Amino acid sequence: MLALQFLSHVVLLGGISMRRNVLIILLAWLIFAGLAPARIAAPAYSTEAGALVQKSLLALDAPAAQMDGDGELAETGKNQVLRQTRSVAALAGTQEPTLSPAASGNAELVYTTYLQNAGWQAEVREGAISGGAASPIEAIQVRLTHLAEAGNISYQTYRQDSGWSGYAKNGEIAGTAGTGEAVEALRFKLTGALAGQYDLYYRVQTERFGWLDWATNGETAGTDGFRYPIEGVEVVLMNKEQAFSGKREQSFVKRTDPVLSYGSYLTASGWQEPVLNPAQSGSPDSSQSLEGLQAKLASQPYPGSVTYRAATSENGWFEWTQDGLEAGLPGTGQNIERIEMQLTDELAAHYDIYYQVHVPGVGWLDWAKNGETAGTQGYDYDISAVQLQVVQKDAPAPGNTAVAFMKYVPKPPPAPVAPPLPAYPTGPDWTVQEGIFRTNAGTNYYVGSSYIIVSIAYQRVWAYIGSQQIVNAPVITGRPSMPTPRGLFAIQPYKESPSVLIGEDYESPVQYWIPFLGNAYGLHDASWQTQGFGGDLYLYLGSHGCVNTPYYAVQTLYNTYSVGTPVVVY
């Protein structure tokens, strides 16, 4: 009471004085009273009575701190006000219940973070933010000062490629400074008697999610599975008797694969109960068709939506819709014949959406993905069921993807037939134009419009009347030691059927004999040639110079061409 009278007297004497004088007076009062200030939480989380002390201090030190519209302490100057609040807590009657003698030292917490490309930051006291500059945190260092209770602070970090680190304690480094591997989650806890006296509250700022809610006493703060680095950390140390008013609903977010919920409207049954991927929706085993489709994400690890549209044979494509809204015209009797679906935003960067449809009379088509068309067009076929699947990027498709969409394309009318161009006989290395036989090697014979051509190189016989081909057949000419003579010849008067070929050492009956050089060389059938005709048979099965010809071909030649018909052998 004496101290209060002294303080009152000094204030009355000085009136409204400078902030420095007020602080000196407060310090003098503390020394005079011989009291140790009880520990108070960070101002943003103190009790209502504590808020009154903050307001009085803000009035004294306005440039160092600002109050927002609701009377809450703003970020600027929070640490300074926190220190002042602790020093004068007894004046406002807001000190905590008396601590045990061992705890009268009022433990304080300081910490620093290692920012990627920026290094270690200056230490901050509890209730202040370390980091927060949109740079990933790679490591953290925490220490307690003014310890009176037995115990320590322990902390660990989580990195997606390395998992949880071991617990560091009081001043040790948790994480890997300078390696480029960012921290994605962390935990803090007290040990020993400290854990019975104090609570730790902490929260983190992460890429994409921003500031998450508060975790406490060993709980996890941050994310898992997103590769979102922590960019800021804030820690508060509070006596257990103090009430904590910070939001604590979601301090940790773990990625889970997205789940699609979807349902279909059938012609005779209406809306079906929604199913989850990859189940089938609709009626693939009945005659009912889809008139409407709904789809939404039942769970998702990243921001984004599922969008989709449907088309009917009567109206074509409808507008895109999303997130559980209706696609198509359910209840109108207009059946869906094709659909398209896709994911949006960050969800689309990590996942592909696959979908397939069942068409009565055709069956399940293959899988389409990411905006491709699934179904049919132009066949007057309807969809009776759908099946959806969400797959991580670069993962295999859930099935075949070759034929997800069938479109009927009418055959074009036949092209007008152009009048035939004048044609003339040609062979592999010869032509006959205007009655003249010419070879690529320069041979020229006048053969008129009716003629027979024998090629030794190609082992073949051709026969024409005008531009009409009469015979085109393989042959066997004379063996290399008894070659067939080359040149322009003509069918001789010795043409005969049947006939007998007589040589020095043979007599061979044939059905058709067509001589072209005297009565010694000609074309005839050869029943003894049992291995066929053409190719290189003449090299070892060749004749004595005649042209062995298949029966059907020599028969046609004999019955078509008369004596005097030109015969070219080249």
Side-chain angles (χ1 to χ4, degrees):
M1 180 61 71
L2 180 61
L4 291 175
Q5 291 174 351
F6 171 76
L7 178 61
S8 174
H9 177 69
V10 172
V11 172
L12 290 172
L13 287 175
I16 300 175
S17 61
M18 299 295 290
R19 290 177 297 168
R20 182 180 301 175
N21 293 337
V22 173
L23 294 176
I24 292 173
I25 292 170
L26 293 174
L27 179 61
W29 179 83
L30 289 172
I31 296 173
F32 181 82
L35 298 175
R39 194 178 187 302
I40 307 294
Y45 320 109
S46 53
T47 61
E48 182 177 352
L52 297 175
V53 177
Q54 293 170 36
K55 291 179 181 179
S56 63
L57 285 169
L58 289 168
L60 297 174
D61 194 11
Q66 301 293 327
M67 301 297 291
D68 62 23
D70 297 325
E72 296 293 333
L73 182 64
E75 197 69 33
T76 305
K78 181 167 64 177
N79 294 333
Q80 182 175 354
V81 176
L82 171 61
R83 291 193 295 272
Q84 293 171 338
T85 303
R86 286 176 176 166
S87 301
V88 297
L91 290 177
T94 60
Q95 68 265 35
E96 300 168 2
T98 304
L99 303 181
S100 64
S104 62
N106 290 312
E108 292 186 342
L109 184 148
V110 293
Y111 48 96
T112 178
T113 54
Y114 185 96
L115 299 187
Q116 202 171 88
N117 302 321
W120 287 104
Q121 305 301 289
E123 281 190 333
V124 297
R125 292 183 179 275
E126 56 174 296
I129 295 171
S130 183
S135 292
I137 290 175
E138 296 184 10
I140 189 168
Q141 192 176 27
V142 187
R143 60 188 179 88
L144 285 169
T145 62
H146 303 95
L147 289 177
E149 292 278 3
N152 218 325
I153 183 169
S154 297
Y155 43 97
Q156 65 177 161
T157 59
Y158 175 84
R159 294 160 291 160
Q160 184 155 327
D161 293 330
S162 306
W164 285 102
S165 68
Y167 273 100
K169 61 182 180 181
N170 207 37
E172 296 175 349
I173 295 174
T176 54
T179 65
E181 192 174 3
V183 173
E184 298 179 43
L186 47 76
R187 296 170 179 154
F188 296 94
K189 66 179 182 179
L190 299 171
T191 62
L194 283 173
Q197 183 69 47
Y198 296 101
D199 287 321
L200 274 174
Y201 294 92
Y202 43 96
R203 64 174 183 161
V204 298
Q205 173 189 320
T206 73
E207 182 183 313
R208 300 289 298 185
F209 287 119
W211 283 102
L212 298 176
D213 296 340
W214 294 87
T216 186
N217 298 337
E219 296 175 352
T220 302
T223 64
D224 181 9
F226 295 94
R227 293 190 178 275
Y228 291 166
I230 291 177
E231 299 173 339
V233 178
E234 187 175 4
V235 188
V236 175
L237 180 67
M238 294 184 65
N239 262 306
K240 285 188 176 291
E241 290 82 358
Q242 288 183 284
F244 181 79
S245 59
K247 188 178 180 181
R248 298 197 54 235
E249 293 178 3
Q250 191 175 49
S251 61
F252 175 65
V253 183
K254 183 177 178 65
R255 186 182 71 81
T256 57
D257 286 334
V259 175
L260 283 170
S261 171
Y262 48 99
S264 53
Y265 185 101
L266 295 178
T267 51
S269 305
W271 283 107
Q272 306 300 292
E273 287 295 323
V275 298
L276 302 179
N277 60 284
Q280 299 175 6
S281 178
S283 182
D285 299 326
S286 76
S287 59
Q288 298 190 67
S289 299
L290 262 68
E291 295 182 13
L293 178 67
Q294 293 176 322
K296 64 180 180 179
L297 288 158
S299 69
Q300 60 188 98
Y302 299 100
S305 299
V306 54
T307 66
Y308 44 96
R309 65 174 181 167
T312 66
S313 58
E314 296 91 342
N315 294 292
W317 286 109
F318 295 103
E319 294 295 325
W320 287 89
T321 187
Q322 66 181 37
D323 296 337
L325 299 176
E326 296 177 2
L329 292 174
T332 65
Q334 296 193 40
N335 301 326
I336 295 174
E337 67 172 3
R338 58 192 187 275
I339 62 171
E340 293 176 352
M341 309 188 77
Q342 57 188 9
L343 302 174
T344 68
D345 302 327
E346 191 173 357
L347 190 64
H350 295 276
Y351 290 91
D352 294 319
I353 182 171
Y354 284 87
Y355 41 98
Q356 67 172 168
V357 301
H358 184 274
V359 177
V362 177
W364 285 101
L365 298 179
D366 293 338
W367 292 88
K369 76 168 183 176
N370 299 344
E372 297 173 352
T373 305
T376 64
Q377 182 178 357
Y379 290 97
D380 201 25
Y381 293 160
D382 301 326
I383 294 174
S384 61
V386 297
Q387 188 173 8
L388 311 185
Q389 183 64 284
V390 178
V391 177
Q392 287 193 27
K393 285 287 185 185
D394 302 323
N400 294 329
T401 59
V403 185
F405 173 62
M406 300 190 311
K407 182 177 181 178
Y408 177 75
V409 179
K411 293 182 179 179
V417 178
L421 297 174
Y424 51 85
T426 60
D429 59 350
W430 58 264
T431 62
V432 176
Q433 297 185 54
E434 298 178 350
I436 298 175
F437 171 85
R438 291 185 177 90
T439 67
N440 296 345
T443 302
N444 289 274
Y445 298 129
Y446 182 79
V447 296
S449 61
S450 180
Y451 48 86
I452 299 171
I453 300 170
V454 176
S455 171
I456 295 175
Y458 289 95
Q459 292 289 293
R460 203 156 195 90
V461 60
W462 298 271
Y464 280 82
I465 296 176
S467 61
Q468 181 181 3
Q469 187 180 84
I470 306 301
V471 170
N472 183 344
V475 297
I476 296 177
T477 60
R479 66 192 67 174
S481 61
M482 303 180 71
T484 301
R486 303 169 188 265
L488 174 61
F489 310 104
I491 296 178
Q492 299 298 301
Y494 312 111
K495 176 183 175 185
E496 186 177 63
S497 176
S499 183
V500 177
L501 306 180
I502 301 174
E504 293 181 354
D505 54 355
Y506 65 88
E507 287 187 9
S508 300
V510 297
Q511 186 62 41
Y512 300 103
W513 167 240
I514 308 172
F516 55 80
L517 180 56
N519 200 28
Y521 297 93
L523 297 96
H524 60 79
D525 51 291
S527 58
W528 56 88
Q529 295 287 12
T530 59
Q531 297 189 33
F533 296 84
D536 60 357
L537 292 175
Y538 77 102
L539 296 177
Y540 48 94
L541 295 176
S543 69
H544 291 81
C546 288
V547 180
N548 292 180
T549 308
Y551 187 92
Y552 70 89
V554 73
Q555 181 185 45
T556 301
L557 292 172
Y558 188 93
N559 293 327
T560 304
Y561 294 96
S562 59
V563 173
T565 299
V567 177
V568 174
V569 180
Y570 78 101

Short mmCIF file of all heavy atoms in Angstrom, two decimals, residues 516-551:
data_model
loop_
_atom_site.label_atom_id
_atom_site.label_comp_id
_atom_site.label_asym_id
_atom_site.label_seq_id
_atom_site.Cartn_x
_atom_site.Cartn_y
_atom_site.Cartn_z
N PHE A 516 8.96 -69.86 -134.68
CA PHE A 516 9.15 -68.46 -135.12
C PHE A 516 10.47 -68.25 -135.86
O PHE A 516 10.72 -67.16 -136.40
CB PHE A 516 9.05 -67.49 -133.92
CG PHE A 516 9.99 -67.79 -132.78
CD1 PHE A 516 11.33 -67.42 -132.83
CD2 PHE A 516 9.53 -68.44 -131.64
CE1 PHE A 516 12.18 -67.68 -131.77
CE2 PHE A 516 10.39 -68.72 -130.59
CZ PHE A 516 11.72 -68.34 -130.64
N LEU A 517 11.36 -69.28 -135.87
CA LEU A 517 12.61 -69.20 -136.64
C LEU A 517 12.79 -70.54 -137.34
O LEU A 517 13.20 -71.51 -136.70
CB LEU A 517 13.79 -68.89 -135.71
CG LEU A 517 15.17 -68.77 -136.39
CD1 LEU A 517 15.17 -67.73 -137.51
CD2 LEU A 517 16.26 -68.45 -135.36
N GLY A 518 12.44 -70.56 -138.64
CA GLY A 518 12.43 -71.83 -139.35
C GLY A 518 11.49 -72.78 -138.66
O GLY A 518 10.42 -72.39 -138.17
N ASN A 519 11.94 -74.08 -138.64
CA ASN A 519 11.15 -75.07 -137.91
C ASN A 519 11.95 -75.59 -136.72
O ASN A 519 11.69 -76.65 -136.21
CB ASN A 519 10.76 -76.22 -138.84
CG ASN A 519 9.57 -77.01 -138.32
OD1 ASN A 519 8.74 -76.47 -137.61
ND2 ASN A 519 9.50 -78.30 -138.66
N ALA A 520 12.96 -74.73 -136.28
CA ALA A 520 13.87 -75.19 -135.23
C ALA A 520 13.58 -74.53 -133.88
O ALA A 520 13.78 -75.14 -132.82
CB ALA A 520 15.31 -74.92 -135.65
N TYR A 521 13.14 -73.26 -133.88
CA TYR A 521 12.91 -72.54 -132.61
C TYR A 521 11.46 -72.04 -132.59
O TYR A 521 10.97 -71.47 -133.58
CB TYR A 521 13.85 -71.34 -132.48
CG TYR A 521 15.30 -71.72 -132.42
CD1 TYR A 521 16.08 -71.77 -133.59
CD2 TYR A 521 15.91 -72.03 -131.20
CE1 TYR A 521 17.42 -72.11 -133.53
CE2 TYR A 521 17.26 -72.39 -131.14
CZ TYR A 521 18.00 -72.43 -132.30
OH TYR A 521 19.33 -72.77 -132.24
N GLY A 522 10.79 -72.28 -131.45
CA GLY A 522 9.41 -71.84 -131.35
C GLY A 522 8.91 -71.95 -129.91
O GLY A 522 9.64 -72.30 -128.97
N LEU A 523 7.64 -71.64 -129.71
CA LEU A 523 6.98 -71.76 -128.41
C LEU A 523 6.18 -73.06 -128.40
O LEU A 523 5.52 -73.40 -129.39
CB LEU A 523 6.01 -70.60 -128.16
CG LEU A 523 6.61 -69.18 -128.07
CD1 LEU A 523 6.51 -68.49 -129.41
CD2 LEU A 523 5.93 -68.37 -126.99
N HIS A 524 6.21 -73.80 -127.33
CA HIS A 524 5.44 -75.04 -127.22
C HIS A 524 5.20 -75.36 -125.76
O HIS A 524 5.87 -74.83 -124.86
CB HIS A 524 6.18 -76.19 -127.92
CG HIS A 524 7.54 -76.47 -127.33
ND1 HIS A 524 7.74 -77.18 -126.19
CD2 HIS A 524 8.79 -76.13 -127.80
CE1 HIS A 524 9.05 -77.27 -125.92
NE2 HIS A 524 9.71 -76.64 -126.91
N ASP A 525 4.21 -76.24 -125.54
CA ASP A 525 3.97 -76.70 -124.17
C ASP A 525 5.07 -77.67 -123.78
O ASP A 525 5.76 -78.23 -124.63
CB ASP A 525 2.59 -77.34 -124.05
CG ASP A 525 2.36 -78.40 -125.12
OD1 ASP A 525 2.25 -78.02 -126.31
OD2 ASP A 525 2.30 -79.58 -124.74
N ALA A 526 5.23 -77.89 -122.44
CA ALA A 526 6.33 -78.75 -121.96
C ALA A 526 5.85 -79.45 -120.71
O ALA A 526 6.07 -78.97 -119.58
CB ALA A 526 7.58 -77.93 -121.70
N SER A 527 5.21 -80.61 -120.91
CA SER A 527 4.65 -81.33 -119.77
C SER A 527 5.72 -81.84 -118.82
O SER A 527 5.43 -82.18 -117.68
CB SER A 527 3.79 -82.50 -120.28
OG SER A 527 4.56 -83.37 -121.09
N TRP A 528 6.96 -81.93 -119.30
CA TRP A 528 8.05 -82.43 -118.44
C TRP A 528 8.56 -81.38 -117.44
O TRP A 528 9.35 -81.70 -116.56
CB TRP A 528 9.20 -82.93 -119.33
CG TRP A 528 9.71 -81.88 -120.30
CD1 TRP A 528 10.66 -80.96 -120.10
CD2 TRP A 528 9.24 -81.68 -121.60
NE1 TRP A 528 10.83 -80.17 -121.17
CE2 TRP A 528 9.96 -80.60 -122.16
CE3 TRP A 528 8.26 -82.32 -122.42
CZ2 TRP A 528 9.75 -80.13 -123.46
CZ3 TRP A 528 8.08 -81.84 -123.71
CH2 TRP A 528 8.80 -80.76 -124.22
N GLN A 529 8.15 -80.14 -117.60
CA GLN A 529 8.58 -79.09 -116.66
C GLN A 529 7.64 -79.14 -115.44
O GLN A 529 6.57 -78.52 -115.42
CB GLN A 529 8.53 -77.71 -117.32
CG GLN A 529 9.51 -77.53 -118.47
CD GLN A 529 10.95 -77.41 -118.00
OE1 GLN A 529 11.28 -77.68 -116.83
NE2 GLN A 529 11.84 -77.07 -118.94
N THR A 530 8.05 -79.89 -114.45
CA THR A 530 7.19 -80.12 -113.27
C THR A 530 7.47 -79.14 -112.12
O THR A 530 6.78 -79.17 -111.10
CB THR A 530 7.39 -81.55 -112.75
OG1 THR A 530 8.77 -81.73 -112.41
CG2 THR A 530 6.97 -82.55 -113.81
N GLN A 531 8.48 -78.32 -112.26
CA GLN A 531 8.81 -77.38 -111.18
C GLN A 531 8.28 -75.97 -111.46
O GLN A 531 8.63 -75.02 -110.77
CB GLN A 531 10.33 -77.33 -110.96
CG GLN A 531 10.90 -78.66 -110.50
CD GLN A 531 12.35 -78.53 -110.07
OE1 GLN A 531 12.76 -77.50 -109.56
NE2 GLN A 531 13.12 -79.58 -110.30
N GLY A 532 7.47 -75.85 -112.49
CA GLY A 532 6.90 -74.55 -112.79
C GLY A 532 7.66 -73.85 -113.90
O GLY A 532 8.47 -74.47 -114.63
N PHE A 533 7.42 -72.55 -114.02
CA PHE A 533 8.03 -71.75 -115.08
C PHE A 533 8.51 -70.42 -114.48
O PHE A 533 8.08 -70.00 -113.42
CB PHE A 533 7.02 -71.48 -116.20
CG PHE A 533 6.57 -72.72 -116.91
CD1 PHE A 533 5.54 -73.51 -116.38
CD2 PHE A 533 7.17 -73.12 -118.10
CE1 PHE A 533 5.12 -74.66 -117.04
CE2 PHE A 533 6.75 -74.26 -118.75
CZ PHE A 533 5.73 -75.04 -118.23
N GLY A 534 9.37 -69.74 -115.20
CA GLY A 534 9.85 -68.43 -114.80
C GLY A 534 11.02 -68.49 -113.84
O GLY A 534 11.63 -69.55 -113.61
N GLY A 535 11.38 -67.33 -113.31
CA GLY A 535 12.49 -67.24 -112.38
C GLY A 535 13.81 -67.60 -113.04
O GLY A 535 14.07 -67.25 -114.20
N ASP A 536 14.64 -68.36 -112.33
CA ASP A 536 15.95 -68.76 -112.88
C ASP A 536 15.99 -70.24 -113.24
O ASP A 536 17.06 -70.85 -113.33
CB ASP A 536 17.05 -68.43 -111.88
CG ASP A 536 16.88 -69.14 -110.55
OD1 ASP A 536 15.86 -69.85 -110.38
OD2 ASP A 536 17.74 -68.98 -109.67
N LEU A 537 14.80 -70.85 -113.47
CA LEU A 537 14.76 -72.27 -113.82
C LEU A 537 15.51 -72.54 -115.13
O LEU A 537 16.03 -73.64 -115.32
CB LEU A 537 13.31 -72.74 -113.93
CG LEU A 537 12.51 -72.78 -112.61
CD1 LEU A 537 11.06 -73.16 -112.88
CD2 LEU A 537 13.12 -73.78 -111.64
N TYR A 538 15.55 -71.53 -116.03
CA TYR A 538 16.21 -71.76 -117.32
C TYR A 538 17.70 -72.04 -117.15
O TYR A 538 18.34 -72.63 -118.02
CB TYR A 538 15.98 -70.57 -118.25
CG TYR A 538 16.84 -69.36 -117.93
CD1 TYR A 538 17.97 -69.07 -118.70
CD2 TYR A 538 16.53 -68.51 -116.87
CE1 TYR A 538 18.76 -67.97 -118.42
CE2 TYR A 538 17.32 -67.42 -116.58
CZ TYR A 538 18.43 -67.14 -117.37
OH TYR A 538 19.21 -66.05 -117.09
N LEU A 539 18.28 -71.63 -116.02
CA LEU A 539 19.71 -71.83 -115.83
C LEU A 539 20.07 -73.30 -115.70
O LEU A 539 21.17 -73.72 -116.09
CB LEU A 539 20.18 -71.07 -114.58
CG LEU A 539 20.05 -69.54 -114.64
CD1 LEU A 539 20.47 -68.92 -113.32
CD2 LEU A 539 20.88 -68.98 -115.79
N TYR A 540 19.16 -74.14 -115.15
CA TYR A 540 19.48 -75.56 -114.99
C TYR A 540 18.40 -76.49 -115.56
O TYR A 540 18.60 -77.68 -115.63
CB TYR A 540 19.73 -75.89 -113.51
CG TYR A 540 18.69 -75.36 -112.56
CD1 TYR A 540 17.63 -76.15 -112.17
CD2 TYR A 540 18.77 -74.07 -112.06
CE1 TYR A 540 16.68 -75.68 -111.29
CE2 TYR A 540 17.83 -73.59 -111.19
CZ TYR A 540 16.78 -74.39 -110.80
OH TYR A 540 15.84 -73.92 -109.93
N LEU A 541 17.23 -75.93 -115.94
CA LEU A 541 16.19 -76.74 -116.58
C LEU A 541 15.83 -76.18 -117.96
O LEU A 541 14.78 -76.47 -118.51
CB LEU A 541 14.93 -76.80 -115.71
CG LEU A 541 15.06 -77.51 -114.35
CD1 LEU A 541 13.76 -77.40 -113.57
CD2 LEU A 541 15.44 -78.98 -114.56
N GLY A 542 16.72 -75.33 -118.49
CA GLY A 542 16.43 -74.68 -119.75
C GLY A 542 16.35 -75.65 -120.94
O GLY A 542 16.82 -76.79 -120.90
N SER A 543 15.71 -75.16 -122.02
CA SER A 543 15.47 -75.98 -123.21
C SER A 543 16.71 -75.98 -124.12
O SER A 543 17.76 -75.41 -123.78
CB SER A 543 14.27 -75.42 -123.97
OG SER A 543 14.60 -74.15 -124.52
N HIS A 544 16.52 -76.58 -125.31
CA HIS A 544 17.58 -76.57 -126.31
C HIS A 544 17.54 -75.30 -127.16
O HIS A 544 18.19 -75.21 -128.19
CB HIS A 544 17.44 -77.80 -127.23
CG HIS A 544 17.74 -79.09 -126.52
ND1 HIS A 544 16.82 -79.73 -125.72
CD2 HIS A 544 18.87 -79.86 -126.50
CE1 HIS A 544 17.34 -80.83 -125.25
NE2 HIS A 544 18.61 -80.94 -125.70
N GLY A 545 16.74 -74.30 -126.70
CA GLY A 545 16.63 -73.04 -127.42
C GLY A 545 15.20 -72.62 -127.64
O GLY A 545 14.94 -71.46 -127.96
N CYS A 546 14.25 -73.56 -127.54
CA CYS A 546 12.84 -73.20 -127.68
C CYS A 546 12.33 -72.48 -126.42
O CYS A 546 13.02 -72.38 -125.41
CB CYS A 546 12.01 -74.46 -127.94
SG CYS A 546 12.25 -75.13 -129.59
N VAL A 547 11.08 -72.01 -126.48
CA VAL A 547 10.45 -71.32 -125.37
C VAL A 547 9.39 -72.23 -124.78
O VAL A 547 8.31 -72.41 -125.37
CB VAL A 547 9.82 -69.99 -125.81
CG1 VAL A 547 9.18 -69.27 -124.62
CG2 VAL A 547 10.86 -69.09 -126.47
N ASN A 548 9.74 -72.90 -123.64
CA ASN A 548 8.77 -73.75 -122.94
C ASN A 548 7.72 -72.86 -122.30
O ASN A 548 8.03 -71.98 -121.48
CB ASN A 548 9.46 -74.58 -121.88
CG ASN A 548 10.40 -75.63 -122.46
OD1 ASN A 548 11.02 -76.38 -121.74
ND2 ASN A 548 10.53 -75.71 -123.78
N THR A 549 6.44 -73.14 -122.61
CA THR A 549 5.34 -72.25 -122.23
C THR A 549 4.27 -73.07 -121.51
O THR A 549 3.99 -74.20 -121.91
CB THR A 549 4.74 -71.58 -123.47
OG1 THR A 549 5.80 -70.96 -124.22
CG2 THR A 549 3.72 -70.51 -123.07
N PRO A 550 3.65 -72.51 -120.46
CA PRO A 550 2.57 -73.23 -119.79
C PRO A 550 1.47 -73.58 -120.79
O PRO A 550 1.23 -72.86 -121.77
CB PRO A 550 2.08 -72.23 -118.74
CG PRO A 550 3.22 -71.33 -118.48
CD PRO A 550 3.94 -71.21 -119.78
N TYR A 551 0.82 -74.71 -120.54
CA TYR A 551 -0.16 -75.25 -121.49
C TYR A 551 -1.24 -74.21 -121.81
O TYR A 551 -1.59 -73.98 -122.97
CB TYR A 551 -0.78 -76.51 -120.90
CG TYR A 551 -1.68 -77.24 -121.86
CD1 TYR A 551 -1.19 -78.25 -122.67
CD2 TYR A 551 -3.03 -76.91 -121.95
CE1 TYR A 551 -2.02 -78.91 -123.56
CE2 TYR A 551 -3.86 -77.57 -122.84
CZ TYR A 551 -3.36 -78.58 -123.64
OH TYR A 551 -4.19 -79.22 -124.53
#
